Amino acid sequence: MLSNIADILLPAFGRLSVTTDPGCELAPGSIISANHTSLADPAVVIAALHRLGVEPVVMAAAGLWRVPVLGRALAREGHIPVHRGDRRAASALDLAADALAHGRCLLIYAEGGLPRRKDAAEAAPGGFRSGLARLAERTGAPIVPVGQAGARRITSGGVVKQLAGLATAPLRRPDLHVHVAAPLTLTGDTAARTARARTAVTTAWRTAAAHLGEPAALAA
């Protein structure tokens, strides 16, 4: 349901384009790792993946499960709540490993949160938490790096600016771009795996942001 809704509604808020690396494959049981910049970017990434024939299980902040209607839909479709700073946090990896074992693709945001910047500009992904590397080591699942850019043009900054951006997006319809890179297998210890995953997602982000002419990507 989330994939269908994102694919139907997103064109009203922006113009989405999608590119992939040569040899890119979204095989069943893959871990999809994307950069996280805005409250809007999950819809952007899910819509892009839907165009490529993939409907992922999403790991997301547990607070979303308390939102009426949305919470019930997330639970019904098997998405995975992440209780940050809680003893229940470890159970999210168990649920994720189970989803991968059943052939579902899993969308994870390894940065673990949104940037605190108020502007709408793009910037490289922040530091990654270790959960992605530990999950890849535990399951042997391939990592598919995904870079998205433009979601901050829909929503970014404080609450008032977020609401204003969302309200005006249908008039502005900003350009959005998602780039899906070729899968990779992480090796080494947890720190090395985490660093390699962040580098791969950063490269995918740079491709997406350069497609939109974002200064941060062009300068790099």
Side-chain angles (χ1 to χ4, degrees), residues 31-38 41-42 45 57-61 80 82 84 92-93 96 106-115 124-136 143-148 184 186 190-202:
I31 300 173
I32 301 168
S33 179
N35 62 309
H36 198 19
T37 63
S38 164
D41 67 57
V45 172
V57 170
V58 183
M59 296 184 73
I80 300 171
V82 179
R84 296 190 182 96
L93 289 184
L106 178 80
L107 174 58
I108 185 172
Y109 291 96
E111 291 163 273
L114 292 170
F128 275 22
R129 297 174 183 266
S130 64
L132 169 62
R134 289 185 285 120
L135 182 62
I143 306 299
V144 179
V146 169
Q148 62 78 26
L184 58 92
L186 300 181
T190 298
R193 290 169 183 263
T194 300
R196 188 179 179 201
R198 184 189 177 197
T199 297
V201 173
T202 299

Side-chain angles (χ1 to χ4, degrees), residues 64-127:
L64 293 175
W65 272 252
R66 295 193 294 270
V67 178
V69 181
L70 175 61
R72 289 195 296 273
L74 291 171
R76 183 174 62 250
E77 296 182 19
H79 299 290
I80 300 171
V82 179
H83 299 268
R84 296 190 182 96
D86 188 300
R87 63 183 181 182
R88 293 172 293 177
S91 67
L93 289 184
D94 294 334
L95 293 171
D98 185 64
L100 292 167
H102 283 84
R104 298 294 303 274
C105 287
L106 178 80
L107 174 58
I108 185 172
Y109 291 96
E111 291 163 273
L114 292 170
R116 297 183 180 275
R117 295 182 293 110
K118 302 297 185 182
D119 62 284
E122 291 291 326

